[in-house]
Amino acid sequence: MWQIFRKELLELRQNPKVLRIVLVAPIIQLIVLGYAANMDVKNVPVVIADGSRTAESRRLIARFEGSPYFTIVDVVTTVNEIDSYIERGTAWMALAIPYDYAERIGRGDRTAALQLVADGSDANSTTLALSYAANLVGAHTEELLTERAGSAPLRRRDGSLDARIRVWFNPQLLSRHFMLPAISALLLLVITSNLSSMAIVREREVGTYEQLSVTPLTRWGLIGGKLLPYGMIGMIDVLLVVAVTVFWFDVPIRGSVLLLFAMCAVYLLSTLSLGLLVSTVSHTQQQAMMTATFFFLMPMIYLSGFIFPSENMPRAIQWLTYLIPLRYFIVIVRGIFLKGIGLEVLWPQALALFAWGVTALAIAASRARKSLD
C-alpha cells in the first residue's frame, strides 16, 4: 500500500498542472460562488401599465420604486404593451393600474382593482416576487385607509386596493416545469463536453497523436472527425431528454419542436467546442476531466442562473455570466418549452450561443494546429 501511495504522490509531483487545479480551483470557485449563492429575490424587473396617470397612481408606483425588491424597467399606458416585456424576459412582473384608479381611491367607497401579471416560468422566484408585491400593495392600502379614516372607525373594504394576481406561462407555478428544461441543458453540457475533452488528449496519451501529424489529414479534418461522432451522440441525448421531459414528466412544449432541436444543435457546437478546447490544453485524460469540471462546468452551473438568479449577483459577477453559454441556452430552452416564443424573440441568445461556439472551436483548432506543427 505504501508503494502505491508513493507512486501516486510522485505522479502528482510530475504533473504540476493537476496540483494547481486541485489547490487553486476550489479557492477561486468558493470566492466567486460565495457572492452568487443567494436565493433571495431582489431587483425584480417590473413594468407598470399606468392607465390612470394621476398623482395617486404615481404614489403607488413610487412605493415600488422605493422597494429594494423591485426595479421598474418602464412605465407604459395600456396592458397590451406589457406582453413584449414579459415574453422577452425584460420584466418578470407587470402591475396594471386601471384608468379609474384615482376616482375610486378618491371616493373612498369603492375598491380599486389592480392586476399583477407574473412570468411563471421561474416558479420559485415568481412566488417570492408575488408575495413581496402583495405585501407592498397591502401596506399601501393600510396607509390610504389610515389617512382617510382619521378618527373615524376603519372599514377594510372602503377605498382599499384589490390586487388581482395572474400568472403567465406556468399558472400552477410548478417547479418541475421550470427546472426540467434547464436540467436537460445541464446534462447535455456535462455529457458532451466531457466526451469531447478526451478527444485529443487520449491520442496524446496512447502516442498516436504524433502519427497524425505526419498524415495528410488537415486540422479541420481532424477536428471534424473528432467532433462529429460526439455530435451524433449529443443529438441522440437531446432526443432522449426531450422525450423523457415531455412524455414522462408531462412538461409541454409550447413552442416549435423544430426550433428546439435546431437550438440544441447550436448548443452542442458550444459544448463540444468547449470540451475540445480543454483537450488541447491538457496532457492527460485525468487533467482534462479535472479542468473541465473545476474550471468550466461548476462555474457554469452556479453562474448561469440555473440555481441562483443572476439578477441577485453583484454587477461584476453578472458581467462574468455573459461568458457562459449555458446562460443563453437556459433562456432559449425555457422560452420554447414554457413561453412558446420563437426566434424573433430568442435571436440575441441564439446569436450569442453560436458566436461562443464558433469562437471556442476556432481557438481549439488553432491550438490543435500548433500541436501538430
Side-chain angles (χ1 to χ4, degrees), residues 120-121 123 127 167-177 252 254:
S121 57
T127 302
V167 178
W168 286 4
F169 310 129
N170 186 9
Q172 293 81 30
L173 293 176
L174 297 175
S175 58
R176 176 180 294 172
H177 288 199
R254 295 193 173 93

Side-chain angles (χ1 to χ4, degrees), residues 312-359:
N312 292 353
M313 301 175 190
R315 181 64 64 182
I317 303 296
Q318 288 189 30
W319 282 110
L320 188 62
T321 64
Y322 286 104
L323 299 176
I324 297 176
L326 183 60
R327 170 194 172 115
Y328 303 110
F329 188 63
I330 283 179
V331 174
I332 291 172
V333 74
R334 282 176 175 161
I336 295 175
F337 262 95
L338 299 177
K339 298 182 180 181
I341 54 182
L343 202 57
E344 70 280 2
V345 175
L346 297 171
W347 69 266
Q349 289 78 16
L351 185 61
L353 194 62
F354 180 74
W356 201 101
V358 170
T359 303

Side-chain angles (χ1 to χ4, degrees), residues 6-20 283-284 287:
R6 185 167 177 271
K7 170 181 168 296
E8 292 296 326
L9 286 180
L10 288 174
E11 286 184 356
L12 284 174
R13 185 180 175 184
Q14 292 172 356
N15 200 340
K17 282 191 175 180
V18 174
L19 279 178
R20 283 199 291 271
H283 296 287
T284 65
Q287 189 182 91

Side-chain angles (χ1 to χ4, degrees), residues 237-268:
D237 285 335
V238 168
L239 190 62
L240 293 175
V241 297
V242 169
V244 171
T245 302
V246 174
F247 297 110
W248 185 268
F249 291 104
D250 294 326
V251 179
I253 301 178
R254 295 193 173 93
S256 167
V257 176
L258 185 61
L259 177 62
L260 176 64
F261 278 89
M263 289 296 100
C264 286
V266 177
Y267 180 56
L268 289 180

Side-chain angles (χ1 to χ4, degrees), residues 40 42-45 89 92 122 125 305 308-315 318 321 327:
D40 295 337
K42 291 183 179 179
N43 300 317
V44 175
W92 291 7
D122 183 347
S125 298
F308 310 111
S310 56
E311 288 79 4
N312 292 353
M313 301 175 190
R315 181 64 64 182
Q318 288 189 30
T321 64
R327 170 194 172 115

